[in-house]
């Protein structure tokens, strides 16, 4: 069984590490925790200890701890050290090799890989000192997961929000290369489309949509963490390529279809991209404002990638579509399932209030020929995980 030494720093995001421990234990990993003095202000040693079924290490100079396990040993016996939340203070200590408490000492004493999940106020994150520490740590070989953009506990908006527990657990799984981590998609190939497509009108203008790519990228990452060989075909997005995934960057629907076809054969294909329904014949030169008024754009329908692959001679065993709807969601999703010939539609309401496009959370409904399953509102990474688990179960054990 692989062992993770989790160092819980003092930030409001510390509460999320309880969920992280639960996920890691579920994935058959042993978790031992160091709780910093500041971390203790946010989560109690008792809740951490009950989740890890182990004692929690807090104080560098506790004699009993030294007798049971020295701080050096504590980091040596782990396969991976994880710092979450990695506060500005912890990152500064790590970058400078400080060793004045148990957490920083364990981090300095280790020769094992380190993964940090930063979490802090946006201004602290963007501060030159933090960014300097970050590049030093990267150069030292420390890996990072997150932070993401979002509303923070302090009310500000921007980068600095700690990655979700499932995302951190995925990063841990891919770093451990896990023999013990469950890999229900080992030996399987998965294609995922994500993001918007961008259809040029002329060299400077285009037709597109508000897709962020977060849901599709999370699915690709979750499939890779589940052991699949993943090709992600992505339109232009502002989020990074997921680790452990072969990402192909495209712009238009026509390019996306070609990239998906070239990536066949595959066991599963998940079409989460928001493909622009129409394109125009692009002008070679920038269209000028003329006396004759606004130019008329002759819209040409784009190929339907999901429908083409569903009917492809080399159709993947499982073809999954998404349906972003603003009204009559389930009726439309059912029609899409039939019209496009896929096996499942993941339907979501992108109507005004929902804030799904670009947001972190999603409320989806799985529509198959057997019926509808409603899922609660979840983080997109959690939706990705559950979906991947479901697809692995549908596919069954590798032949
Ligand atoms: N899709 C696709 N290629 C297209 C259009 C859509 O592969 N040219 C896929 C999307 O990736 C998604 C599903 O089809 O998995 C449904 O997308 P959606 O935009 O909801 O459906 P549309 O076909 O555009 O239907 P409508 O505009 O009527 O809602």
């Amino acid at each position: 069984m692989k062992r993770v030494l989790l160092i819980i720093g003092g930030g409001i995001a510390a509460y999320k590490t309880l969920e992280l421990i639960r996920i890691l234990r579920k994935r058959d990993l042993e978790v031992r925790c160091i709780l910093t003095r500041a971390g203790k202000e946010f989560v109690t040693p008792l809740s951490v200890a009950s989740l890890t079924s182990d004692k929690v290490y807090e104080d560098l100079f506790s004699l009993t701890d030294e007798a049971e396990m020295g701080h050096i040993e504590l980091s040596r016996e782990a396969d991976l050290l994880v710092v979450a939340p990695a506060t500005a203070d912890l990152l500064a200590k790590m970058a400078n090799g400080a060793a004045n408490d148990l957490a920083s000492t364990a981090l300095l004493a280790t020769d094992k890989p380190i993964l940090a999940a930063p979490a802090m106020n946006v201004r602290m994150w963007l501060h030159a000192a933090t960014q300097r520490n970050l590049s030093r740590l990267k150069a030292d070989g420390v890996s990072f997961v997150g932070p993401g953009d979002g509303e923070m506990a302090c009310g500000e908006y921007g980068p600095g929000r700690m990655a979700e527990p499932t995302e951190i657990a995925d990063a841990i799984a891919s770093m451990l290369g896990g023999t013990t981590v469950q890999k229900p998609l080992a030996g399987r190939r998965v294609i995922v489309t994500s993001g918007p497509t961008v259809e040029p009108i002329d060299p400077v203008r285009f037709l597109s949509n508000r897709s962020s790519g977060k849901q599709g990228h999370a699915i690709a990452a979750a499939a890779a963490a589940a052991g699949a060989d993943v090709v992600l075909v992505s339109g232009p997005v502002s989020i990074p390529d997921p680790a452990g995934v072969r990402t192909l960057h495209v712009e238009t629907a026509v390019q996306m279809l070609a990239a998906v076809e070239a990536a066949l054969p595959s066991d599963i294909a998940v079409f989460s991209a928001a493909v622009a329904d129409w394109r125009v014949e692009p002008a070679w030169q920038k269209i000028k404002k003329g006396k004759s008024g606004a130019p008329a754009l002759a819209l040409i329908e784009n190929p339907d990638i999901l429908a083409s692959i569903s009917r492809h001679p080399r159709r993947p065993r499982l073809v999954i579509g998404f349906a972003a709807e603003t009204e009559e969601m389930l009726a439309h999703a059912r029609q899409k399932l039939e019209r496009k010939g896929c096996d499942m539609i993941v339907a979501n309401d992108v109507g005004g209030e929902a804030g799904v496009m670009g947001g972190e959370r999603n409320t989806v409904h799985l529509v198959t020929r057997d019926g509808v399953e409603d899922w609660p509102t979840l983080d997109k990474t959690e939706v990705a995980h559950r979906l991947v688990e479901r697809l692995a179960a549908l596919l069954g054990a590798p032949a």
Side-chain angles (χ1 to χ4, degrees), residues 76-392:
R76 290 255 172 91
E77 55 127 46
D79 296 293
L80 175 73
L81 273 68
V82 178
V83 190
T87 58
D89 180 59
L90 271 171
L91 292 178
K93 280 183 177 165
M94 289 163 71
N96 291 287
N100 60 351
D101 58 10
L102 183 57
S104 51
T105 311
L107 284 160
L108 196 62
T110 193
D111 55 354
K112 298 294 163 48
I114 300 173
L115 173 71
M120 66 196 74
N121 164 276
V122 54
R123 280 170 219 288
M124 291 168 79
W125 173 252
L126 295 173
H127 195 283
T130 303
Q131 292 299 316
R132 190 167 57 236
N133 290 335
L134 192 70
S135 24
R136 265 205 210 173
L137 289 167
K138 282 185 180 163
D140 291 346
V142 174
S143 301
F144 287 87
V145 53
D149 279 2
E151 189 152 352
M152 280 179 277
C154 56
E156 286 189 83
Y157 189 92
R161 192 170 180 269
M162 189 169 87
E164 291 306 322
T166 42
E167 213 177 332
I168 302 175
D170 283 354
I172 292 172
S174 76
M175 283 183 77
L176 285 175
T179 43
T180 58
V181 182
Q182 277 185 354
K183 300 272 180 186
L185 287 179
R188 304 291 197 186
R189 277 176 62 88
V190 176
I191 300 173
V192 181
T193 68
S194 185
T197 66
V198 170
E199 313 292 336
I201 295 171
D202 67 18
V204 295
R205 303 180 178 98
F206 57 81
L207 296 172
S208 192
N209 58 64
R210 294 185 190 280
S211 169
S212 66
K214 283 180 186 161
Q215 186 63 80
H217 278 52
I219 293 168
D229 174 8
V230 184
V231 176
L232 172 66
V233 183
S234 175
V237 291
S238 58
I239 54 175
D241 294 350
V245 166
R246 187 152 65 91
T247 305
L248 308 174
H249 298 274
V250 299
E251 299 239 317
T252 67
V254 170
Q255 290 168 354
M256 187 173 272
L257 174 61
V260 170
E261 281 185 317
L264 290 172
S266 174
D267 299 289
I268 301 176
V270 181
F271 294 94
S272 41
V275 182
D277 289 315
W278 303 283
R279 68 178 184 277
V280 295
E281 202 54 67
W284 290 104
Q285 307 296 344
K286 184 179 166 196
I287 300 170
K288 303 299 282 180
K289 272 188 299 226
K291 289 193 193 73
S292 47
L297 293 180
L299 297 177
I300 309 164
E301 192 158 323
N302 264 331
D304 190 312
I305 304 169
L306 169 60
S308 320
I309 300 302
S310 286
R311 300 192 172 100
H312 199 277
R314 287 192 290 164
R315 183 194 199 275
R317 284 242 324 266
L318 284 178
V319 177
I320 314 301
F322 271 67
E325 305 291 350
T326 54
E327 44 152 17
E328 288 190 66
M329 184 180 56
L330 292 179
H332 284 149
R334 284 203 185 92
Q335 286 162 15
K336 260 173 212 174
L337 186 74
E338 292 315 322
R339 197 172 73 232
K340 305 205 180 200
C342 53
D343 303 298
M344 181 193 288
I345 288 277
V346 181
N348 57 10
D349 187 348
V350 291
E353 301 284 300
V356 171
M357 286 280 198
E360 302 292 333
R361 289 164 81 76
N362 208 352
T363 314
V364 305
H365 311 267
L366 299 196
V367 183
T368 61
R369 287 180 184 80
D370 297 333
V372 181
E373 191 179 310
D374 299 318
W375 282 6
T377 301
L378 299 165
D379 282 305
K380 287 181 174 175
T381 51
E382 185 63 29
V383 170
H385 257 274
R386 292 197 186 191
L387 185 64
V388 163
E389 244 170 54
R390 176 62 58 90
L391 299 181

